[in-house]
Amino acid sequence: MTLTTVKTVQDIRAIVKAWQAEGLTVALVPTMGALHKGHLSLITAAKESCDRVIASIFVNPKQFGPNEDLDTYPRQEATDAALLKKAKCDALYLPNVTEMYPTGFATQIQVPALDGILCGASRPVFFTGIATVVSKLLIQASCDQAFFGEKDFQQLTLIKRLATDLNLPTEIHGCPIIREEDGLAASSRNIYLTEKERPIAPSLHQTLQTVKTAVEAGSPIGAETAKAKASLTALGFDVDYLEIRTLIDLSLLTENLDQPARLFAATYLGKTRLIDNLGVSLK
Ligand code: AMP
């Protein structure tokens, strides 16, 4: 089995159209590469649901702020292609920056109701960059389905919103967070963790589990999230946010857990930004 690699909008359109003309369903799995088991779980889910699967790799400059890690973001195309082949992915879409943003490119997609909170509060260009590139990828490929991870739950919520609002024909699926054995959510950025930081990193997930157990048992949200922030800070994390928000529109819950919600956290451990989230609901 071969992994077809395409680099242009014209070529991605041609292969998707050819498959669809044969009556096959096609899935897209957008990534920024440096693939790990979290990404590969999306390929597996896509394969279970569709006849053909395309992964895209594009490190999107528009979602990185000026002091963020665009230049050092891990890039390993050959290894990624081998992993995709092993996972029986059918095609790899590898556009370059000029293909995605040709000279004169001037459009932005924004979802203001969802992009100024959580990760968007400290990363102002982040979600506009993501909304713009994901809209483009979905339009370019025009696949039947697309798969995203709950690891980036705010991103998933925003993509579902924009796909609905823009009447994009692609069905958006969310897939569960894949973790290392010690609970740390798999991430391309985990390789930045130093030897000293790596054993501390799973405390983020453990702390979220503690908050989940307490608030699901009826403890007030504000008190539990404050305690969790203090204990993460004592462990050496720099906490950006730790909040519970509703599933329906990500509005903040500070007192009682009165509807299905999600517990979100973002922290820095040294220079590495770690995010995680968990579902919470009253038993
Ligand atoms: P990225 O390459 O970080 O942009 O991620 C590409 C896709 O993989 C996104 O939909 C992520 O949410 C998803 N993803 C990344 N890490 C994980 C993980 N640990 N578990 C599940 N999905 C993930």
Side-chain angles (χ1 to χ4, degrees):
M1 149 146 197
T2 54
L3 176 74
T4 307
T5 300
V6 291
K7 298 195 168 182
T8 64
V9 178
Q10 199 182 1
D11 287 348
I12 180 98
R13 288 221 163 114
I15 59 167
V16 174
K17 277 200 177 144
W19 281 329
Q20 288 173 334
E22 287 177 49
L24 301 172
T25 53
V26 187
L28 179 70
V29 179
T31 82
M32 296 207 301
L35 301 181
H36 52 66
K37 57 189 175 183
H39 298 114
L40 297 174
S41 76
L42 304 183
I43 304 286
T44 305
K47 281 192 71 71
E48 279 166 11
S49 205
C50 286
D51 300 310
R52 294 286 181 271
V53 177
I54 304 170
S56 65
I57 298 180
F58 180 65
V59 182
N60 175 32
K62 291 202 186 292
Q63 71 189 64
F64 288 78
N67 299 317
E68 294 183 354
D69 56 345
L70 174 63
D71 294 337
T72 52
Y73 195 85
R75 287 162 171 89
Q76 46 168 62
E77 270 169 28
T79 311
D80 286 347
L83 287 170
L84 290 171
K85 199 168 168 188
K86 198 163 160 225
K88 301 199 165 47
C89 184
D90 300 283
L92 168 59
Y93 178 39
L94 262 181
N96 64 22
V97 175
T98 322
E99 183 70 10
M100 194 58 81
Y101 303 117
T103 306
F105 183 85
T107 299
Q108 284 187 338
I109 304 289
Q110 284 184 316
V111 188
L114 297 171
D115 71 10
I117 55 171
L118 299 169
C119 285
S122 61
R123 304 182 74 189
V125 300
F126 185 53
F127 284 114
T128 301
I130 288 178
T132 304
V133 82
V134 171
S135 301
K136 282 177 65 75
L137 286 165
L138 292 175
I139 292 166
Q140 288 169 355
S142 293
C143 286
D144 301 281
Q145 301 182 21
F147 290 75
F148 297 87
E150 290 182 346
K151 155 98 188 330
D152 301 282
F153 199 91
Q154 184 179 9
Q155 166 179 293
L156 172 63
T157 307
L158 183 135
I159 290 166
K160 283 184 175 165
R161 185 75 258 159
L162 74 81
T164 301
D165 292 352
L166 299 175
N167 306 106
L168 300 183
T170 308
E171 201 180 299
I172 307 298
H173 293 268
C175 300
I177 302 176
I178 303 298
R179 300 180 179 281
E180 304 300 342
E181 266 173 26
D182 57 15
L184 176 66
S187 165
S188 307
R189 288 192 168 101
N190 290 348
I191 57 160
Y192 298 156
L193 292 166
T194 64
E195 245 172 67
K196 247 178 139 181
E197 290 161 353
R198 178 62 187 80
I200 302 169
S203 304
L204 175 58
H205 177 55
Q206 286 154 15
T207 306
L208 294 189
Q209 287 283 10
T210 306
V211 175
K212 172 181 164 75
T213 306
V215 297
E216 285 184 342
S219 257
I221 290 172
E224 291 304 328
T225 52
K227 246 196 290 180
K229 282 192 222 174
S231 78
L232 284 170
T233 305
L235 285 166
F237 291 86
D238 183 2
V239 181
D240 180 3
Y241 60 78
L242 194 155
E243 294 173 353
I244 294 189
R245 289 183 173 264
T246 64
L247 278 192
I248 195 144
D249 60 1
L250 300 187
S251 48
L252 190 63
L253 287 181
T254 52
E255 288 168 23
N256 301 315
L257 190 61
D258 54 4
Q259 57 182 301
R262 201 96 189 165
L263 168 61
F264 294 93
T267 63
Y268 284 90
L269 189 54
K271 289 193 173 124
T272 310
R273 185 172 172 87
L274 298 174
I275 63 168
D276 205 342
N277 65 82
L278 282 180
V280 283
S281 54
L282 272 187
K283 296 291 165 208

